[in-house]
Amino acid sequence: MKHSLKIAGSVAAGLSAAALICAPLAAASPEDAFVGALTEQGVTWPGATPDNMVAAGKGVCQDWASGATFEQEVASLTSNLSPDDAAFLIGAATGAFCPEYESKVS
């Protein structure tokens, strides 16, 4: 239970970061805002580049569209990320690229 609450906090932080970054930087692309949020939070993995960060984020949206659960999303990312970093990435990606799926992370 304690771990679930901690991950929920990471998701909320990711959603908030995406919202805060996107709002004042309306001229910035969602991709730039997403990469900025991950960079600011220190979410990275070996070989991470802005392009594959964006691909991972957009992949979250594809997974949501295919019916993935939050737990499946976290599990799919924890080979390269801690559960907290995976949750942050999921929240930030959902906020930046597919806010219609925010109910999956809240």
Side-chain angles (χ1 to χ4, degrees):
M1 178 74 171
K2 189 175 184 182
H3 189 64
S4 296
L5 292 175
K6 188 174 181 185
I7 288 177
S10 296
V11 170
L15 287 170
S16 296
L20 290 174
I21 289 170
C22 289
L25 301 175
S29 70
E31 291 82 1
D32 289 341
F34 174 72
V35 170
L38 293 186
T39 301
E40 187 174 306
Q41 185 69 23
V43 176
T44 190
W45 55 89
T49 66
D51 286 341
N52 63 27
M53 288 175 160
V54 169
K58 290 185 175 183
V60 168
C61 297
Q62 291 172 340
D63 292 346
W64 289 149
S66 296
T69 66
F70 177 74
E71 292 77 16
Q72 290 169 326
E73 267 318 285
V74 171
S76 75
L77 294 169
T78 53
S79 61
N80 291 313
L81 297 171
S82 71
D84 288 338
D85 284 352
F88 185 89
L89 184 149
I90 293 164
T94 303
F97 303 128
C98 50
E100 66 271 22
Y101 293 111
E102 284 184 7
S103 64
K104 291 201 172 234
V105 297
S106 56

